[in-house]
Amino acid sequence: MDVGKKIRLERIFNRATERTVIVPMDHGISVGPIAGLENMRQAVDDMVAGGANAVLGHRGLVRCGHRSEGQDVGLIVHLSASTSLSPTPNAKVLVGSVEDALRRGADAVSVHVNLGDETETQMLRDLGEVSAKATSWGMPVLAMVYARGPKIKNEYDPEIVAHCARAGEELGADIVKVSYTGDPESFGRVVDGCCIPIVIAGGPKLDSTRSFLQMVSDSISAGGAGLSVGRNVFQHKNRVKLVKALSKVVHQDETVEAALEFLGE
């Protein structure tokens, strides 16, 4: 691996565990300034205080979330966008470049692909082109790959999720983010079919902290490399402590019960 890419990946992954806690904050383009992201600098500060390995956001958020003191945190600049107001919200388009992300101090870039959407071909082409460009700069790529479209009956189907993960790998991503399949056994098959680190998405806001922690713990036991979760983290009533609990589960193999006890829940 190119040494520049290796150095940047080590800013996103814990060197000892080779796992990561990523908190995406790219929701503003999709749905606006939702709860938890009104003040981006405070949101980033809280994630860092909790021990997150990296945060993820669009190019314009870098200036709003940049911290001039305290502990450092990995920065992933997201290059894809669409809005919930669009008649085709699943059609992601590129709104940034690898070079621009480098100028803004990014440690990695991310691209969103929705397999099954009518515009899938364009999104696949975008991921391939970004991956090729990123390789030339030693820049890691996180591919967010989901199954969303007319032919998709269940986006959490293990075979479909495995297809998503493999698509990201085959187009040159260094990390792939996919939906959790619901149980460790089926998710283990997803991991087995992909030779790059797999992190899980959070999906809709879950109904309890226990269910969230259990999902993360189960994904780790199946061979997952951590999480890239937004709303279930930054909208939590005690988000700093939650990130600390997640870090214990991801990096120390802490049990769900112990993590809940730490949270006081």
Side-chain angles (χ1 to χ4, degrees), residues 85-203:
L85 305 177
S86 168
T88 55
N90 287 331
K92 302 293 181 177
V93 298
L94 288 182
V95 292
S97 67
V98 174
E99 292 86 351
D100 182 65
L102 280 165
R103 283 191 291 270
R104 293 170 191 272
D107 299 306
V109 294
S110 59
V111 178
H112 187 141
V113 175
N114 287 317
L115 296 185
D117 186 75
E118 291 88 341
T119 61
E120 174 194 283
T121 53
Q122 179 63 56
M123 288 183 276
L124 289 173
R125 183 169 66 184
D126 288 345
L127 175 56
E129 290 179 353
V130 166
S131 176
K133 179 68 73 174
T135 296
S136 70
W137 286 104
M139 174 70 92
V141 176
L142 184 157
M144 305 179 182
V145 189
Y146 307 116
R148 295 171 179 170
K151 292 172 64 177
I152 308 300
K153 294 179 179 167
N154 176 14
E155 65 178 288
Y156 305 103
D157 182 300
E159 289 189 9
I160 290 177
V161 175
H163 190 169
C164 290
R166 190 58 177 262
E169 173 197 335
E170 298 220 4
L171 287 176
D174 302 284
I175 315 161
V176 65
K177 171 180 174 177
V178 296
S179 300
Y180 183 60
T181 55
D183 64 86
E185 183 181 356
S186 64
F187 194 68
R189 295 197 297 273
V190 174
V191 172
D192 289 343
C194 188
C195 71
I196 60 175
I198 297 178
V199 295
I200 59 167

Side-chain angles (χ1 to χ4, degrees), residues 214-226:
Q214 190 67 58
M215 178 179 72
V216 173
S217 178
D218 288 347
S219 75
I220 293 295
S221 70

Side-chain angles (χ1 to χ4, degrees), residues 29-31 81-92:
I29 287 183
S30 300
V31 293
S82 69
T83 79
S84 59
L85 305 177
S86 168
T88 55
N90 287 331
K92 302 293 181 177

